[in-house]
Amino acid sequence: EVYELAYADARIEKKTKSTMASYKSGFDKCEPIWNTPIGDIKLMQLQDIINSCSTKSRSTQSNIITVQKLVYAYACKNDLADKDYSAFVKIVEHKKGKDKSAYTREEIKMLWDNIDWKFKGQRKTILEGETVADILLILIYTGMRIEELLLTASSDVHLEERYIMNRGTKTENALRIVPIHKDILPVLERRL
């Protein structure tokens, strides 16, 4: 209940979709204390939530702490809690996650060699009969995020000038011009 009041008070619904999603995600992770009165919650309970997310990214843990701070700021302001325990919660050192590495020249060549390969799954899916190698090549050559590419309108792709106006998905600052490499120009043209 306090979260809903704090959320409304902070006017989070007026923020970007990404911001709203991060608050929802952070709140969902706090489920173990949802039914505990705010005045009864102790630091250890808040920290336990972060500790249980030790395999999650620093960003995920930060989202949880942001929600805790939002709730405690509202609770203290409205005399629902005597102390802001969220101020003492610490991010747990992120354990090594997946090893991210760039595609090798051989892997990229394999995509080019199989650019017309069509997806055929064991079950019928929306991707059935679709080419996917071209999408992967566009992502590799532009550096765009998957969601950014999928949300790109055809009016944002300027083939003659060889750039894509990327509206971004994470923040308002994600708005940027993405150059189109000459090798993927025909791939983008075909996708349009």
Side-chain angles (χ1 to χ4, degrees), residues 10-11 17 21 34 43 66 75 96 126 136 139-140 150 153 168 178:
R11 302 174 127 177
K17 287 182 183 178
W34 279 359
L43 171 60
T66 299
K96 188 175 181 193
I126 195 167
L136 293 173
L139 292 169
I140 290 169
L150 294 175
V178 177

Side-chain angles (χ1 to χ4, degrees), residues 23 49 59 62 92 94 103 107 124 126 131 142 147 151 153 163 172:
Y23 274 89
I49 292 168
S59 174
S62 181
V92 177
H94 179 62
Y103 286 94
E107 290 169 329
K124 189 86 170 153
I126 195 167
T131 58
T142 62
E147 186 178 2
L151 294 175
Y163 76 90
E172 292 174 15

Side-chain angles (χ1 to χ4, degrees), residues 25-192:
S25 173
F27 176 69
D28 289 345
K29 299 278 190 293
C30 293
E31 185 177 5
I33 57 172
W34 279 359
N35 295 319
T36 308
I38 189 77
D40 293 346
I41 297 173
K42 300 297 179 208
L43 171 60
M44 194 45 127
Q45 291 170 286
L46 299 177
Q47 188 64 55
D48 282 346
I49 292 168
I50 298 297
N51 294 347
S52 71
C53 295
S54 64
T55 58
K56 305 287 185 196
S57 70
R58 186 172 188 83
S59 174
T60 297
Q61 293 181 46
S62 181
N63 288 343
I64 297 166
I65 293 171
T66 299
V67 167
Q68 292 174 351
K69 288 181 184 292
L70 173 81
V71 170
Y72 269 95
Y74 182 86
C76 289
K77 180 172 82 173
N78 291 286
D79 297 323
L80 301 172
D82 296 328
K83 189 169 188 176
D84 179 0
Y85 287 111
S86 69
F88 306 106
V89 177
K90 302 282 184 231
I91 289 179
V92 177
E93 189 58 40
H94 179 62
K95 293 178 183 156
K96 188 175 181 193
K98 295 177 187 172
D99 190 21
K100 294 181 182 178
S101 59
Y103 286 94
T104 64
R105 290 181 190 269
E106 293 78 24
E107 290 169 329
I108 294 172
K109 183 181 180 324
M110 187 185 306
L111 288 173
W112 280 112
D113 291 344
N114 294 288
I115 196 161
D116 292 322
W117 175 82
K118 295 189 185 300
F119 181 84
K120 184 171 179 5
Q122 293 177 351
R123 293 179 289 172
K124 189 86 170 153
T125 70
I126 195 167
L127 290 175
E128 192 71 34
E130 288 291 323
T131 58
V132 290
D134 57 342
I135 294 293
L136 293 173
L137 287 166
I138 292 169
L139 292 169
I140 290 169
Y141 278 77
T142 62
M144 294 173 73
R145 294 179 179 91
I146 293 170
E147 186 178 2
E148 290 173 336
L149 180 61
L150 294 175
L151 294 175
T152 299
S154 53
S155 60
D156 290 335
V157 180
H158 304 274
L159 295 175
E160 300 241 343
E161 298 85 6
R162 288 194 23 211
Y163 76 90
I164 299 170
M165 180 54 70
N166 184 357
R167 306 277 175 211
T169 57
K170 289 222 162 203
T171 66
E172 292 174 15
N173 296 334
L175 175 67
R176 63 190 188 281
I177 293 175
V178 177
I180 299 173
H181 190 280
K182 63 180 174 47
D183 290 350
I184 63 162
L185 194 58
V187 176
L188 273 168
E189 192 170 30
R190 189 170 80 183
R191 266 291 167 182
L192 280 176

